[in-house]
Amino acid sequence: MRGALLTQDFISQGILLTDAWHALDDGRFEAFHDALRTVYVRVEGGTRLNEAQTEAELIVPTLEALGWSCLPQQQANARGRADVPDTLLFAERRSHDLALTETQPGRRFLHGKAIVESKRWLRPLDRSGQDRGEIETPSSQMLRYLTRAEVVSERAVMWGLLTNGRHWRLYWQGARSRSEEFVEFDIASLIGVRGLDADLLAAPTGDAEHALKAFYLLFSAQAFLPQAGDAQHRSFHQLALEESRHWESRVSNALGRRVFDEVFPALVVAMVVADPEARVEVRAYREHIKRAALTLLYRLLFVLYAEDRDLLPARDRRYDDYSLRRIRQDVADRSDRQDVFAAGMHRYWQHLCDLFRAIAQGEPTIGLPAYNGGLFDDAREPILARIALGDAVVAPLLDALSREAGNDQRPHWINYRDLSVQQLGSIYERLLEQAVVSDGAGGVRVEP
């Protein structure tokens, strides 16, 4: 799954608590799953379909399996076919029939719920194509159509589906950043279509059946209607957006507490112990240690965020062996086995230093451009350049930044892609208020 409209934690955990999930009986889901398998068997073995074939053979049958009533090519203005979404969707047949009574095509949008833009099988959705007529980027095209649909429908149509048959995206006109805040599912992979190339940009799916159920609940016609039993008559999307914000805040608050209470204090103490030039009785030195610890911590938070958001090429085979994701997976596996991390070995520290240097200077051989800005410049933080933290220090700190206990009390990955830059910045600003003081016994402690 890709996109930032809903948090990964809501999709993987929060959705399990919704009434719609509990109401999705096995028979209805199996019927939907069987319908998709029947549809997508047509593209196994490397089949090539043009846009019209993809729409007819894959997209329309899938929409019908999702409970939609479809009306093709509804013109929203006077610009002609070039500015017309492929399909106007109705959640109920009576709305479709009512729309057909409108003499002005634009007024049919008043009865719709969403629009669809269909592309040829496997066409990239975020860049222009190579074929004639594929100059415009599909994602930009969808945003333009959706803006127009909102106006002519008097805000009745606020949702858009963009698909190339394999990838299905859901856009919301009310999102803060519509270009990034969509939700995308790789449906062909979820149902096991053979012969597909790996989607290197997609987040790990985990349980394919769970992901497919989430797709059904979010893309079905029923999701756009008031949910049974909800006193405020909200649609499933409204409920999902509200719950997703709750999960985002929960992740941010939990991470903040762990950083303030555990990670930052332990990091400061460990850096003082590792520094051969430590002078804890000198206030200026304690300020330098605080700044160096903040820099190291924010480097880690930045890379965790950037890899989860694909701002760093974490899914590139050239980069993945050098990624922070590789280290934290190794730490997690060893921690779960209750393995021993050596105090005098510095394997993780050296890996981090190499990674930070590559990010600062760039490393084209692994697909990594230089990221300027000074965060990874050791010349600005001489303490970081002269210390080395042992594996016994780095491993628990990195694991604390990477995982948290879920509802089942088992460790779950923290989804940094669910956090905003503002939330990470807030953690940093609150750390600035912390003071590093002498403990009177040759060491230091952190005080609020």
Side-chain angles (χ1 to χ4, degrees), residues 232-417:
Q232 300 179 48
H233 306 290
R234 291 169 294 181
S235 69
F236 182 69
H237 293 130
Q238 291 171 304
L239 293 167
L241 288 166
E242 292 176 14
E243 283 298 306
S244 193
R245 285 191 288 269
H246 163 75
W247 281 83
E248 179 181 333
S249 297
R250 188 193 64 80
V251 170
S252 176
N253 293 336
L255 177 62
R257 287 193 300 271
R258 190 174 299 111
V259 168
F260 303 136
D261 298 341
E262 303 173 30
V263 176
F264 186 65
L267 183 58
V268 169
V269 170
M271 289 175 63
V272 169
V273 172
D275 186 7
E277 301 179 20
R279 298 180 61 193
V280 298
E281 72 281 0
V282 178
R283 180 177 180 179
Y285 174 79
R286 297 197 301 269
E287 287 298 315
H288 288 319
I289 275 288
K290 174 184 173 180
R291 189 176 68 189
L294 282 170
T295 298
L296 176 57
L297 178 59
Y298 212 65
R299 285 179 182 179
L300 293 170
L301 292 174
F302 172 86
V303 177
L304 288 166
Y305 175 86
E307 288 186 353
D308 275 8
R309 285 259 178 151
D310 297 312
L311 302 175
L312 289 171
R315 306 180 204 286
D316 190 319
R317 294 172 184 170
R318 298 172 298 171
Y319 172 88
D320 63 357
D321 287 334
Y322 302 95
S323 67
L324 184 52
R325 180 173 295 173
R326 177 59 59 89
I327 308 176
R328 66 174 183 166
Q329 182 67 63
D330 184 65
V331 168
D333 292 342
R334 292 179 62 188
S335 297
D336 292 343
R337 297 196 307 267
Q338 298 183 330
D339 202 352
V340 174
F341 296 98
M345 304 294 287
H346 308 94
R347 181 160 63 93
Y348 294 134
W349 179 259
Q350 189 57 54
H351 190 134
L352 290 175
C353 290
D354 289 342
L355 175 60
F356 294 159
R357 191 176 303 111
I359 292 173
Q361 300 174 2
E363 184 56 65
T365 57
I366 59 173
L368 193 62
Y371 287 80
N372 299 319
L375 177 61
F376 297 94
D377 184 2
D378 275 346
R380 297 188 179 187
E381 298 297 342
I383 293 176
L384 293 178
R386 68 177 182 246
I387 68 170
L389 300 181
D391 290 352
V393 171
V394 175
L397 293 177
L398 187 56
D399 204 33
L401 292 175
S402 299
R403 300 194 296 172
E404 63 174 348
N407 293 335
D408 54 6
Q409 298 306 307
R410 293 186 301 171
H412 292 266
W413 295 111
I414 296 173
N415 288 305
Y416 278 82
R417 65 183 295 168

Side-chain angles (χ1 to χ4, degrees), residues 164-213:
N164 60 9
R166 173 177 178 174
H167 299 103
W168 286 72
R169 283 187 186 178
L170 182 64
Y171 286 89
W172 179 43
Q173 179 68 2
R176 291 167 297 185
S177 175
R178 295 182 306 148
S179 61
E180 295 181 0
E181 294 186 21
F182 56 84
V183 59
E184 176 185 292
F185 289 85
D186 182 349
I187 295 305
S189 293
L190 290 178
I191 61 174
V193 172
R194 296 188 296 271
L196 296 174
D197 292 333
D199 185 349
L200 297 179
L201 293 178
T205 299
D207 184 345
E209 181 176 307
H210 176 103
L212 198 59
K213 285 183 177 180

